[in-house]
Amino acid sequence: MEYTSKILLRKLVISQIFDRLRLLQEIKQFPFAPEEEQNFLYGKLLLDPESDIRNGKIERDIDVLSDLLSSQIWIDFSDPGEQIVAQHYVNGTCGASAELFFHQLLLSTELARRIDLCATSAGHSSGHLLSALPRKVAWSISMSRRFFQNLAFEQVQTTLPNDGRRYSLIPQNKYAQMEMVLNVGYELKWPTMPQIEAKMMAESAGRAIQCRQWTMPSVTFLTGTVMPGPVASWMVLSCLLDCSYAYRMDLDGLKELRPQSGFQYLSSTYWYWQSIVGKVLGAMQGSKCVAGWIGPCISTPDLKRVEYVRIHHERAPERMRNKDTKTVAARSEPLGTPSGSYPVNNFHVVLPYSSTVDSIRVEKLALVPLNNIPGRNDPHIVEHKIAVHFAVNGRSIPVRLKYDVSFIAAAACWAGPHVLFYEYAYKQVQIDHLLHIAEWAERLSKKPIGERVSTEKVNGSDIDKVLVIEAYGAADNAVLARAWCAHLGLSAVVADIDRTCLACTIREAYAARVAVAIIFELQQFDDQERVSRASPCFAKG
């Protein structure tokens, strides 16, 4: 693409950009007019010193626009910090930052229209062409599409002389976004829901967003210009926090999108879904995973009533390799090792213990700050060690969440219980005896990943025995089982006994190359624990 270096951008004032963006918004349902589009592209938007380069081919236009958008002067929306779209234009539509943003929006929209036309003519989706673009350009096109799907340009009538044409941005899906924030608050049992409902009702009085009442992440979410990826979780949280006048929290740490993080808000804690604390405490009764946040969870006396916290963790040993995904079926074959005959005596039915344990309760969370972390040069970054204290048979036992392990949901089986082939070795243990087992991680660490311990193992799996933890009864039992895994660095398959039988759970553990399976019983909450929703009816316009 040597020719693209000679093509330059023309200087446009903000009113010209707005006029073109509004025109594109109005004519998007009309067919593409190649001659008119070509005249605007090279007559108003681009400066082409060599007229012979313009030959009317859309493919060439795509190359030219893509090359221009790859320049470092444009905003890189692949960066999560730049995906708060409202920060680029809300503080003034005539500033240099806003002018740069809208200029990039115009170029991205022109490119997206030509890509869609080219894909339609070729008979395939535009995703095929987008995958060939540079990452920065593809994200810029994604931003432009989200922008036009959710915001509309409207001309503002003015009586001031020489004021020119002025435009306002009207969100098209404002009420749906507000309803989404309310639903997240209801599901997470947010403690200040009355304030949130009151502010949402006040916001629904007008068509535009009252930007002065919200932070930029909240404005971005309410306008619907949310980019794909994890940023949406933090934007929803920003909306909830902006509605709470008495209890605000600094979101500077949250903008970094640290997965091992969470916060305490009044009488509950909330954790990001990738946090090991969220993975463990998500098994508590009443906790849910909504919009990337797990809560409400038990509070801790080691944090302020409103405080953000970052958790220190270590990586768990990885036992699943990329090539292992091709042999999942072989490692979990119901009939075991292929053979010419299958004697009935080689199969048996695995049944759970008949008794349940009701002597375990979660007591508290304990956090200890770590100021000196190897490899960290920033003294302002403070991470915390975290432990969950359990009351087990009258004793308080702390279990530290040391490793970031994974909990794999078992697939449901049909018409169980099923039989299990004898080579699938396992050990059943009830939850109250779990803390006496400390050698399970050690016996696995002695075997290198991928090494076959014996030729008798099922289809070459390096897991020679699966520990089946029966955590029926109270939800705290499942929390203890997960905390034990996080303490020793053992990932586990988790299965609801009403959906997956023990035999299928054990085979799935062999398939996933994990040595632990946690069996729990899904608790049904009482009616008094369910959150009552006041369904606000927003006055739309």
Side-chain angles (χ1 to χ4, degrees):
M1 297 191 304
E2 299 128 355
Y3 56 85
T4 55
S5 61
K6 301 178 182 180
I7 299 180
L8 305 175
L9 286 172
R10 293 180 183 270
K11 179 65 176 179
L12 296 177
V13 297
I14 192 68
S15 60
Q16 292 176 305
I17 297 175
F18 283 163
D19 289 342
R20 178 61 179 177
L21 288 173
R22 189 188 181 193
L23 178 63
L24 292 176
Q25 179 180 282
E26 294 175 349
I27 66 172
K28 60 183 178 181
Q29 66 270 22
F30 294 102
F32 189 92
E35 185 176 351
E36 295 180 7
E37 299 293 338
Q38 202 77 357
N39 290 336
F40 173 81
L41 183 63
Y42 292 98
K44 298 291 183 65
L45 192 58
L46 306 180
L47 180 61
D48 181 7
E50 299 181 9
S51 58
D52 58 328
I53 293 180
R54 283 192 299 157
N55 54 11
K57 289 186 176 180
I58 296 181
E59 292 81 359
R60 187 179 296 274
D61 297 344
I62 292 175
D63 290 339
V64 170
L65 290 170
S66 176
D67 187 67
L68 290 172
L69 283 170
S70 300
S71 173
Q72 296 182 355
I73 66 171
W74 306 113
I75 304 168
D76 185 4
F77 288 99
S78 64
D79 179 8
E82 302 291 351
Q83 292 178 12
I84 305 174
V85 178
Q87 68 183 347
H88 299 294
Y89 66 88
V90 166
N91 292 330
T93 57
C94 296
S97 176
E99 185 172 347
L100 178 69
F101 169 78
F102 286 112
H103 202 160
Q104 182 175 352
L105 176 64
L106 177 58
L107 290 172
S108 303
T109 306
E110 297 285 357
L111 176 58
R113 297 180 72 238
R114 286 161 174 80
I115 287 178
D116 291 339
L117 177 65
C118 189
T120 303
S121 303
H124 51 69
S125 65
S126 58
H128 177 73
L129 294 176
L130 288 173
S131 62
L133 295 176
R135 176 180 174 85
K136 181 178 181 179
V137 178
W139 275 92
S140 186
I141 291 177
S142 177
M143 180 277 299
S144 68
R145 287 178 171 168
R146 288 294 175 93
F147 195 94
F148 272 93
Q149 288 170 359
N150 294 278
L151 286 170
F153 289 88
E154 286 194 3
Q155 189 169 345
V156 178
Q157 299 295 333
T158 176
T159 57
L160 298 177
N162 302 323
D163 195 34
R165 292 182 296 276
R166 299 181 60 188
Y167 292 93
S168 63
L169 291 170
I170 305 300
Q172 303 298 293
N173 301 301
K174 170 184 173 180
Y175 304 105
Q177 297 295 112
M178 292 166 59
E179 190 73 27
M180 195 180 304
V181 174
L182 286 173
N183 288 337
V184 172
Y186 290 135
E187 293 292 335
L188 291 178
K189 300 179 183 177
W190 197 258
T192 57
M193 282 308 297
Q195 296 182 18
I196 295 176
E197 293 172 354
K199 187 163 184 177
M200 289 298 179
M201 290 300 295
E203 180 64 41
S204 65
R207 297 174 60 201
I209 301 291
Q210 302 175 25
C211 297
R212 294 183 179 179
Q213 304 296 323
W214 303 91
T215 57
M216 291 301 101
S218 301
V219 174
T220 302
F221 187 84
L222 293 176
T223 55
T225 53
V226 183
M227 304 291 286
V231 182
S233 299
W234 308 89
M235 291 181 179
V236 172
L237 176 61
S238 175
C239 293
L240 294 174
L241 293 174
D242 285 351
C243 295
S244 305
Y245 305 104
Y247 303 101
R248 294 295 183 97
M249 184 170 61
D250 185 11
L251 276 178
D252 288 340
L254 299 181
K255 290 178 183 178
E256 299 175 5
L257 305 183
R258 297 280 182 175
Q260 295 292 337
S261 60
F263 60 95
Q264 180 159 266
Y265 195 79
L266 302 186
S267 59
S268 302
T269 56
Y270 298 87
W271 304 93
Y272 193 58
W273 70 276
Q274 290 180 316
S275 166
I276 184 56
V277 189
K279 295 176 186 178
V280 172
L281 298 184
M284 294 188 67
Q285 182 171 336
S287 296
K288 293 183 178 180
C289 182
V290 184
W293 294 101
I294 296 176
C297 300
I298 185 173
S299 61
T300 173
D302 299 321
L303 294 177
K304 300 176 184 178
R305 294 194 72 197
V306 179
E307 185 177 355
Y308 166 76
V309 64
R310 186 182 299 172
I311 302 302
H312 177 70
H313 72 285
E314 297 181 19
R315 290 189 60 184
E318 296 290 344
R319 307 198 65 83
M320 194 74 170
R321 299 164 298 186
N322 292 334
K323 66 178 183 180
D324 294 331
T325 58
K326 301 178 181 179
T327 58
V328 167
R331 290 197 304 274
S332 58
E333 178 62 45
L335 297 178
T337 305
S339 176
S341 62
Y342 299 94
V344 176
N345 294 336
N346 289 348
F347 300 87
H348 64 281
V349 178
V350 186
L351 297 176
Y353 291 112
S354 57
S355 60
T356 58
V357 177
D358 195 27
S359 58
I360 299 173
R361 292 294 182 270
V362 177
E363 282 188 322
K364 67 174 183 177
L365 292 179
L367 288 92
V368 178
L370 294 173
N371 294 323
N372 297 321
I373 302 176
R376 298 287 175 86
N377 298 322
D378 190 348
H380 301 290
I381 297 178
V382 179
E383 295 186 352
H384 293 73
K385 293 190 300 183
I386 188 166
V388 185
H389 286 247
F390 294 90
V392 181
N393 295 323
R395 294 190 306 148
S396 180
I397 300 178
V399 181
R400 183 189 166 192
L401 310 183
K402 183 178 181 180
Y403 295 96
D404 182 22
V405 297
S406 299
F407 298 105
I408 307 164
C413 65
W414 181 75
H418 301 103
V419 295
L420 184 68
F421 186 57
Y422 80 98
E423 287 187 4
Y424 290 104
Y426 64 93
K427 176 181 178 179
Q428 287 179 265
V429 59
Q430 286 192 293
I431 187 65
D432 55 344
H433 295 98
L434 180 63
L435 297 177
H436 301 293
I437 301 177
E439 79 283 357
W440 209 258
E442 297 176 0
R443 60 191 293 276
L444 288 176
S445 63
K446 294 177 182 178
K447 296 191 287 291
I449 295 177
E451 178 183 333
R452 297 183 61 174
V453 178
S454 72
T455 57
E456 299 296 327
K457 298 197 307 282
V458 181
N459 297 318
S461 174
D462 66 334
I463 301 297
D464 61 345
K465 184 177 285 189
V466 171
L467 181 67
V468 180
I469 305 173
E470 301 193 7
Y472 313 121
D476 297 44
N477 295 345
V479 177
L480 175 57
R482 295 188 179 209
W484 179 85
C485 291
H487 178 70
L488 295 180
L490 297 171
S491 297
V493 170
V494 293
D496 180 4
I497 192 61
D498 295 328
R499 299 178 67 247
T500 312
C501 70
L502 284 179
C504 292
T505 302
I506 294 171
R507 289 193 300 105
E508 290 187 37
Y510 275 90
R513 293 177 62 139
V514 297
V516 179
I518 301 174
I519 313 298
F520 68 98
E521 189 175 13
L522 188 62
Q523 300 291 314
Q524 299 295 333
F525 302 144
D526 296 331
D527 291 338
Q528 58 263 29
E529 291 191 8
R530 296 181 181 177
V531 182
S532 104
R533 299 192 182 191
S535 303
C537 182
F538 297 127
K540 300 183 180 181

